[in-house]
Amino acid sequence: MEWLAEYAMFLAKAATFVVALLLVVATVSALKERKGRAVGTLSVTRLNDQLDRMTDKLSETILGKAALKVRHKERKAQLKARGKSTDTPKRVYVLNFHGDIKASALENLRHEVTAILEVATAKDEIVVKLESGGGMVHAYGLAASQLTRIREAGVPLTICVDKVAASGGYMMACIADKVLAAPFAMLGSIGVVAQIPNFNKVLKKHDVDYEMLTAGEYKRTLTLFGENTEKGREKFQEDLENIHRLFKSFVAQYRPKLDVAAVATGEVWFGAEALDNALADEISTSDQYISRMIHEADVFEVHYVTRKKLQEKLSGSVSTALDNLVLTWLSRFHNQRFW
């Protein structure tokens, strides 16, 4: 018994030490995060150099060192000729936007656009590789506003859609001077959707009362637990129609040749179909277009990197997926509208 008591005391001391150590680590991490919360790093990669390195590696294997030397001489001659030119070379800035339901990539996009607009001119070009199936109205509205900054600055904007640009994703894409779509990319879905379950009948069955107090006739139109009224449904539908009207007006503003009435049905179109319906301007993958630009200009991929919080590092993608799932349902329960 004495041995067990000593062992229990040892475990208690060890547990106390571990907890204290974890608290210290957590405190230090929190202080570091607080100190550098707004600090991010702008990563810039010259894609011309990246392609040259890959081509050299392949050429060395296929052609041999002699042929590779000839290739290097030709490249040096081209660079020398460009250096003698008095004209400033065209610069192409490549951004990536992978949108989730919250448009989380917006935070990086706003910094990337701000940085580029400080140096870009009307001679340059910004290419956004866009992938999004849409999401929250307010989030994608702000994301689209970041791209309108580019248009207003007079810098040519090209959007490349390799997989999908639907709903809020297409709201962003339509702003471009030129929309490129891969052969099987999905574009469109110009519509609005909101859905909410109602458990009022279940509560009544179990004699559970539910009360909700509001100030303002339409503060809450449809509810999760209360008894919904026809008047509330009509108001909710009216709100959806109003958002849809704004969506269609926005698309028409930036794509005047598009027959908005014909495509604003909530449907999506693939590649060539999107081109036929004027949702896209050209069939091309982002790889094809950027490779072409590399031979015509200096191409830079720009990415704003933020320091992850401690809990984000620990939780990783699983936590993000759960957060998105919970937020999706909570948003719908609170009458959140979705592009």
Side-chain angles (χ1 to χ4, degrees):
M1 292 297 295
E2 184 179 351
W3 179 84
L4 287 176
E6 291 179 355
Y7 185 67
M9 183 62 67
F10 169 76
L11 288 179
K13 290 180 179 179
T16 302
F17 174 77
V18 171
V19 170
L21 183 62
L22 289 175
L23 287 174
V24 172
V25 171
T27 302
V28 172
S29 298
L31 291 174
K32 287 183 178 180
E33 288 176 1
R34 185 177 301 175
K35 184 178 180 181
R37 184 171 295 167
V39 178
T41 304
L42 197 68
S43 171
V44 182
T45 304
R46 191 173 186 272
L47 297 185
N48 306 67
D49 298 335
Q50 188 179 77
L51 181 61
D52 285 342
R53 287 193 296 270
M54 292 190 297
T55 305
D56 287 347
K57 183 65 176 178
L58 186 60
S59 299
E60 184 177 352
T61 304
I62 297 174
L63 304 176
K65 292 184 178 180
L68 188 60
K69 285 183 179 180
V70 174
R71 174 179 166 79
H72 284 164
K73 286 183 180 180
E74 292 176 351
R75 186 184 302 163
K76 286 182 179 179
Q78 292 174 355
L79 292 175
K80 187 176 181 180
R82 180 182 294 183
K84 290 181 179 180
S85 175
T86 57
D87 296 332
T88 303
K90 175 182 177 179
R91 297 186 179 93
V92 176
Y93 303 92
V94 179
L95 307 181
N96 293 276
F97 185 92
H98 297 280
D100 55 17
I101 198 168
K102 299 180 294 182
S104 303
L106 164 64
E107 194 59 33
N108 288 348
L109 179 66
R110 66 200 308 177
H111 292 297
E112 293 161 0
V113 171
T114 297
I116 292 172
L117 290 183
E118 288 294 316
V119 297
T121 67
K123 182 181 178 180
D124 300 326
E125 181 180 352
I126 296 177
V127 176
V128 180
K129 296 165 64 178
L130 174 65
E131 180 182 339
S132 174
M136 295 178 177
V137 170
H138 59 279
Y140 275 90
L142 182 56
S145 297
Q146 300 304 317
L147 299 185
T148 60
R149 293 172 58 196
I150 299 173
R151 286 289 298 267
E152 291 171 359
V155 180
L157 172 63
T158 299
I159 299 289
C160 294
V161 183
D162 288 328
K163 296 180 180 177
V164 58
S167 292
Y170 190 74
M171 184 186 182
M172 296 177 65
C174 75
I175 299 169
D177 297 284
K178 185 167 53 178
V179 179
L180 309 184
F184 286 92
M186 299 170 62
L187 287 82
S189 188
I190 302 173
V192 188
V193 61
Q195 50 191 338
I196 175 173
N198 183 266
F199 298 96
N200 184 253
K201 291 182 179 179
V202 176
L203 297 180
K204 285 184 176 180
K205 182 178 179 180
H206 295 279
D207 295 324
V208 177
D209 291 329
Y210 173 78
E211 293 185 10
M212 179 177 63
L213 306 179
T214 63
E217 184 178 3
Y218 295 116
K219 176 61 180 177
R220 184 70 68 216
T221 51
L222 298 183
T223 72
L224 180 62
F225 298 109
E227 185 173 356
N228 292 319
T229 65
E230 191 59 36
K231 186 177 181 180
R233 292 188 186 93
E234 290 176 357
K235 177 57 179 174
F236 194 84
Q237 184 64 42
E238 181 184 328
D239 292 342
L240 293 183
E241 296 292 346
N242 184 51
I243 296 173
H244 192 208
R245 179 183 59 79
L246 294 172
F247 193 174
K248 292 188 291 184
S249 177
F250 187 87
V251 174
Q253 176 184 351
Y254 288 98
R255 294 193 71 83
K257 295 182 180 180
L258 179 66
D259 185 355
V260 177
V263 298
T265 58
E267 299 172 82
V268 294
W269 285 267
F270 292 88
E273 296 176 335
L275 182 62
D276 293 339
N277 285 281
L279 291 164
D281 301 299
E282 184 180 330
I283 299 298
S284 173
T285 65
S286 62
D287 298 319
Q288 287 174 300
Y289 186 71
I290 292 173
S291 294
R292 192 165 77 224
M293 288 297 100
I294 286 175
H295 292 91
E296 301 175 7
D298 292 333
V299 183
F300 302 92
E301 186 169 37
V302 181
H303 181 57
Y304 186 82
V305 182
T306 54
R307 183 182 301 172
K308 289 186 178 180
K309 295 180 180 179
L310 179 62
Q311 58 267 32
E312 291 177 346
K313 294 178 181 178
L314 295 175
S315 60
S317 58
V318 174
S319 176
T320 302
L322 289 174
D323 287 345
N324 285 337
L325 181 62
V326 171
L327 183 62
T328 298
W329 281 101
L330 288 178
S331 299
R332 290 177 180 176
F333 291 165
H334 289 83
N335 297 353
Q336 182 60 262
R337 278 73 169 174
F338 292 80
W339 290 123

